[in-house]
Amino acid sequence: LAILFHSSELYSFYGLDIRHRSPFEHTMVVGYADDSVGYLADPTAYLNKEYAAVTVPRILDLPPFTPTAAAHLSQHAIQLLGRLT
């Protein structure tokens, strides 16, 4: 079992990607761990200027993520999990 904690609201596509590509038989991806940095949305949300990608960072007074941030988090999470096996 692996439990991966992160401080964002990660779009489910990326959480499921981490779970499916994890080298562990069971992987839990847990958001809002140790504060909240907002949504990690998919690139389409940024193109469409959706609430999660554009408005929430302003509400939280945080800089917006880049359109590829969620994919980068997912990739690095898989690499981290791989190093733990």
Side-chain angles (χ1 to χ4, degrees), residues 4 8 13-14 19-20 22 27 31 37 40 47-50 57 64 67 72 74 80 83:
L4 178 77
S8 69
F13 171 85
Y14 297 102
R19 286 180 53 199
H20 290 126
S22 172
T27 300
V37 295
L40 274 172
L47 290 174
N48 295 333
K49 299 186 184 331
E50 293 177 15
H72 287 292
S74 178
L80 174 65
R83 288 178 26 203

Side-chain angles (χ1 to χ4, degrees), residues 37-56:
V37 295
Y39 289 94
L40 274 172
D42 64 29
T44 305
Y46 294 91
L47 290 174
N48 295 333
K49 299 186 184 331
E50 293 177 15
Y51 173 82
V54 176
T55 305
V56 171

Side-chain angles (χ1 to χ4, degrees), residues 21-32:
R21 294 176 45 208
S22 172
F24 291 87
E25 183 177 355
H26 300 286
T27 300
M28 295 173 57
V29 181
V30 181
Y32 294 117

